[in-house]
Amino acid sequence: MDESQFIIKQISVFSENRPGRLAAIAHALEEEKINILAFSIAEANGFGVVRALVDFPQKAYKKLTGLGFNVAFTDVIAVKMRDEPGGLYEIANMLGEGAINIEYSYAYSGKDGAVLILRVDDAKKAITSILSRGGTLIPSSTFQ
Amino acid sequence: MHFWDPRIEEMPLEELRKMQYRLLKTLVYRLYSFSPFYHERMREQKVHPDDIRSLGDIGKLPYMYKRDLRDNYPDRIFTASQDDLVRYHVSSGTTGKPTVVGYTQADLNNWTTSLARGLTSCGLGRGDVIQVSYGYGLFTGGLGLHYGAERIGATVLPTSVGNTERQIELMQDLHATAIACTPSYLLHMGEVAEKMGVSIKNDTDLRAGILGAEPWSATMKTRIEEGLGIKAYDIYGTSELSGPMFCECSAQKGFHVWGDLAYVEVLDPETGEPLPSGEKGELVITMLQKEALPMIRYKIGDISSVEDEVCPCGRTHPRVQRISGRVDDMLIIRGINVFPSQIEHALMNIPEVGDHFQIVVDRKGALDEMLVRVEVSPEAFSDKITDLMKIGKLVEHRLRNSLNVAVNVELVEPGSLPRFEGKAKRVIDRRSL
């Protein structure tokens, strides 16, 4: 099986924690007509990291680095999640059983139901682990 | 103990002072009579050569600044005719117009002698292979050390700067025992060697480094000595004094400023009053024997202190301690002197941060707080907050170690800190005292 079809390129942007920075990032993406499909901000003392799944990651990378932003690609996976009590437990448990560590995650409720985005320590192992336990992964082609 | 010229190097202090007075007196008369620049300066200051009746009277003479060289570009202050000049060197001109310095044959001889004494004093001589990794050319470092090393009968390996892997190969193949370069270049060399699988400590014959041309801290010295298994000797000079001139001896207790060539004063930067031995202040140097481009009371802008008592090595000439920074950018944080150059140094050795930084000083209640803002290098950027926090902590830790003062560090976006074409203004002092 080709696990790589489930590996999604998330863009991560370093941002100082001050007014207008998120607006600057969002505006840049708007200018390029890039759609943000899922999104989160992690914050620390004085700075934050904006993480997003976008429809054209290369274009977004080029635009944002051109503006001087520090941008990196990160491999994440997206798991379809039952939008009812126990949905998160089901997926977290699959990963726990597979001895996979979750570095971070964020969720959103898409048109076809809830989706959990995960950065894990071993993406390929996570993919086999989830699929072998009956989970559903969303292929990257759905987003990008 | 090795001496190049024991008669001079061990000259009793009193005798040395008499010699200095004689040289100063001759210098002042010569310049008053033959140099329009000095004549005018001394007239302005209302001082006549006859007013110099002791070495202490040097305080009556006017200062000289780097801007005097710029204002008289290229050679209007020179007191030797072009026929008598045997060499030029030119500064890099990072803060504006470059400055040109010239040398007569006697000037070059004195320069070389000064280094011959210094290199001998740190135990080098015939049989040593000295790799000169200072830049050759208009910069004074390469040629200065080159001639000094040849004079003591050592074998010179003139590698200049750059092509580091080849430098390391040659260091091994030709059994270099000493290297002359900037401390930061030597550290870089150590890193490159490691990548090549070469340990400078175990796989080379290197045992001494003659390091200078930039401010460096005592912590860095320890790091070099322990990491590379060599003795690190401080060397000092600027092109206006000739070039690298004054070197630490085997006692490693500051560099000896040869009294027959130079007279050093340490002055309170605020009042201009002379400070006693051991106290930190601004170095003012008078070159007692320069012919082509004399320097009386030259304000270099470096801060240090001087020790007058006889060195354990037996030399009587005053020892100047490691340069701790520049007069024009010293900050006092909670009573501790902090120089942006020290911060720059610490940051330069951290690959996770970029080349630019900014220092913001505030006073919270009665206490000073210093914030250093650094850019995260694109290579080091991670989307994991914990990785980024680690970088912040690492920088805080390194700065605290080298400054002895607590520092807050803020990571900022690359390109967000101001860039400067001229002299950088990296300090924002918001304290109202």
Side-chain angles (χ1 to χ4, degrees):
Chain A
M1 191 207 41
D2 180 17
E3 292 99 345
S4 64
Q5 62 177 306
F6 297 112
I7 292 178
I8 303 160
K9 275 198 186 315
Q10 169 196 275
I11 59 160
S12 311
V13 188
F14 181 83
S15 166
E16 283 166 42
N17 195 358
R18 60 187 164 89
R21 296 318 288 153
L22 180 59
I25 296 170
H27 187 237
L29 295 178
E30 183 201 357
E31 277 184 338
E32 294 297 304
K33 299 197 175 14
I34 293 166
N35 196 20
I36 302 170
L37 306 160
F39 168 84
S40 87
I41 299 180
E43 113 285 354
N45 193 14
F47 65 87
V49 177
V50 174
R51 301 157 177 161
L53 297 193
V54 296
D55 50 0
F56 296 102
Q58 294 293 352
K59 215 160 113 187
Y61 180 88
K62 207 171 150 209
K63 175 75 177 178
L64 291 168
T65 46
L67 289 171
F69 281 101
N70 229 339
V71 190
F73 285 124
T74 313
D75 289 345
V76 295
I77 56 173
V79 193
K80 205 162 171 184
M81 184 164 59
R82 283 195 295 120
D83 200 354
E84 57 191 71
L88 177 60
Y89 167 71
E90 216 169 80
I91 295 160
N93 196 40
M94 287 176 193
L95 293 166
E97 282 179 354
I100 289 152
N101 191 42
I102 300 171
E103 309 250 12
Y104 59 75
S105 87
Y106 49 103
Y108 74 100
S109 191
K111 276 176 258 171
D112 311 317
V115 177
L116 187 66
I117 315 288
L118 292 156
R119 177 174 172 181
V120 291
D121 55 354
D122 186 338
K124 289 201 168 158
K125 205 168 133 200
I127 290 165
T128 19
S129 187
I130 289 168
L131 293 178
S132 68
R133 287 175 173 79
T136 311
L137 285 158
I138 303 174
S140 60
S141 58
T142 314
F143 300 96
Q144 294 155 357
Chain B
M1 287 296 171
H2 298 282
F3 291 88
W4 178 255
D5 185 351
R7 189 186 58 87
I8 290 277
E9 292 170 53
E10 291 182 299
M11 185 178 270
L13 210 51
E14 205 172 309
E15 214 176 302
L16 184 64
R17 292 212 168 107
K18 273 186 200 154
M19 185 184 192
Q20 289 183 311
Y21 171 64
R22 219 169 44 240
L23 287 165
L24 176 70
K25 191 91 178 160
T26 316
L27 177 74
V28 173
Y29 269 113
R30 177 164 67 85
L31 294 180
Y32 190 79
S33 313
F34 299 112
S35 159
F37 172 83
Y38 277 105
H39 186 86
E40 197 186 314
R41 274 288 157 91
M42 286 167 70
R43 291 285 295 262
E44 275 170 19
Q45 186 94 354
K46 295 188 174 48
V47 56
H48 187 272
D50 290 342
D51 301 330
I52 307 302
R53 295 187 199 95
S54 72
L55 208 47
D57 286 337
I58 196 168
K60 294 176 180 169
L61 294 168
Y63 295 121
M64 193 176 172
Y65 303 88
K66 193 168 181 116
R67 67 167 178 269
D68 292 321
L69 292 174
R70 287 206 196 99
D71 293 349
N72 290 284
Y73 179 88
D75 57 359
R76 284 200 296 272
I77 300 184
F78 286 21
T79 47
S81 77
Q82 201 270 315
D83 293 358
D84 293 324
L85 296 181
V86 293
R87 199 192 294 169
Y88 288 120
H89 278 288
V90 182
S91 77
S92 56
T94 41
T95 54
K97 211 167 197 177
T99 51
V100 177
V101 291
Y103 306 77
T104 63
Q105 189 58 56
D107 290 338
L108 285 189
N109 288 347
N110 283 332
W111 182 12
T112 301
T113 299
S114 174
L115 285 173
R117 290 180 197 165
L119 294 172
T120 306
S121 79
C122 55
L124 297 170
R126 206 177 149 81
D128 276 298
V129 177
I130 303 181
Q131 184 163 347
V132 178
S133 304
Y134 281 116
Y136 278 69
L138 290 172
F139 175 62
T140 51
L143 285 168
L145 263 306
H146 183 104
Y147 285 103
E150 278 188 357
R151 179 71 63 88
I152 60 167
T155 313
V156 180
L157 180 55
T159 44
S160 194
V161 184
N163 210 344
T164 308
E165 295 195 0
R166 178 137 176 81
Q167 298 235 10
I168 292 156
E169 274 171 32
L170 291 171
M171 181 189 288
Q172 279 194 291
D173 297 345
L174 297 171
H175 305 282
T177 54
I179 187 162
C181 62
T182 61
S184 55
Y185 189 51
L186 186 56
L187 279 178
H188 174 68
M189 241 184 227
E191 286 160 10
V192 173
E194 213 164 278
K195 277 184 202 145
M196 293 163 67
V198 176
S199 152
I200 289 189
K201 195 175 194 166
N202 303 321
D203 307 331
T204 73
D205 295 318
L206 206 70
R207 59 182 173 84
I210 311 298
L211 311 175
E214 62 187 14
W216 54 307
S217 59
T219 26
M220 194 157 172
K221 176 187 170 231
T222 313
R223 205 178 300 162
I224 289 173
E225 292 200 327
E226 286 172 2
L228 305 182
I230 64 168
K231 285 277 175 199
Y233 300 99
D234 196 8
I235 188 167
Y236 180 76
T238 74
S239 61
E240 297 82 31
L241 308 182
S242 280
M245 283 217 82
F246 306 117
C247 186
E248 267 186 335
C249 65
S250 52
Q252 290 182 292
K253 290 184 180 297
F255 49 85
H256 287 277
V257 173
W258 308 118
D260 56 324
L261 299 175
Y263 182 77
V264 57
E265 298 169 83
V266 179
L267 306 181
D268 184 323
E270 309 272 302
T271 63
E273 289 301 312
L275 291 170
S277 174
E279 263 185 54
K280 255 188 203 180
E282 179 172 9
L283 292 182
V284 174
I285 293 187
T286 298
M287 295 300 286
L288 295 167
Q289 299 199 35
K290 282 279 282 290
E291 290 183 345
L293 180 56
M295 288 282 161
I296 288 188
R297 303 196 86 203
Y298 184 55
K299 279 203 157 193
I300 302 173
D302 286 332
I303 297 252
S304 187
S305 62
V306 70
E307 296 290 341
D308 280 334
E309 87 254 19
V310 177
C311 180
C313 75
R315 288 175 181 80
T316 48
H317 299 241
R319 279 164 291 130
V320 174
Q321 305 306 300
R322 184 178 302 282
I323 303 300
S324 52
R326 304 269 316 159
V327 168
D328 36 17
D329 60 15
M330 185 176 86
L331 285 165
I332 302 174
I333 308 290
R334 299 189 186 185
I336 294 174
N337 296 345
V338 171
F339 293 95
S341 54
Q342 291 173 282
I343 294 177
E344 184 172 72
H345 237 286
L347 295 178
M348 252 175 40
N349 289 307
I350 308 174
E352 287 86 352
V353 301
D355 295 333
H356 302 272
F357 65 97
Q358 190 175 51
I359 302 162
V360 184
V361 189
D362 266 314
R363 179 156 289 180
K364 301 256 166 77
L367 289 177
D368 297 323
E369 288 217 335
M370 182 163 64
L371 173 74
V372 176
R373 314 175 76 200
V374 297
E375 297 178 1
V376 184
S377 76
E379 296 78 31
F381 172 57
S382 156
D383 67 313
K384 281 164 72 181
I385 295 284
T386 45
D387 290 349
L388 293 168
M389 306 258 288
K390 259 185 231 158
I391 297 175
K393 288 282 163 228
L394 170 79
V395 178
E396 279 182 7
H397 180 74
R398 294 273 184 94
L399 288 178
R400 182 197 283 261
N401 269 355
S402 67
L403 308 178
N404 287 318
V405 96
V407 178
N408 297 314
V409 167
E410 188 175 300
L411 304 178
V412 302
E413 292 165 19
S416 65
L417 295 176
R419 265 67 173 158
F420 303 95
E421 285 183 359
K423 197 170 162 52
K425 286 193 192 69
R426 296 214 163 91
V427 181
I428 301 170
D429 199 335
R430 295 198 287 223
R431 292 175 292 187
S432 46
L433 302 177

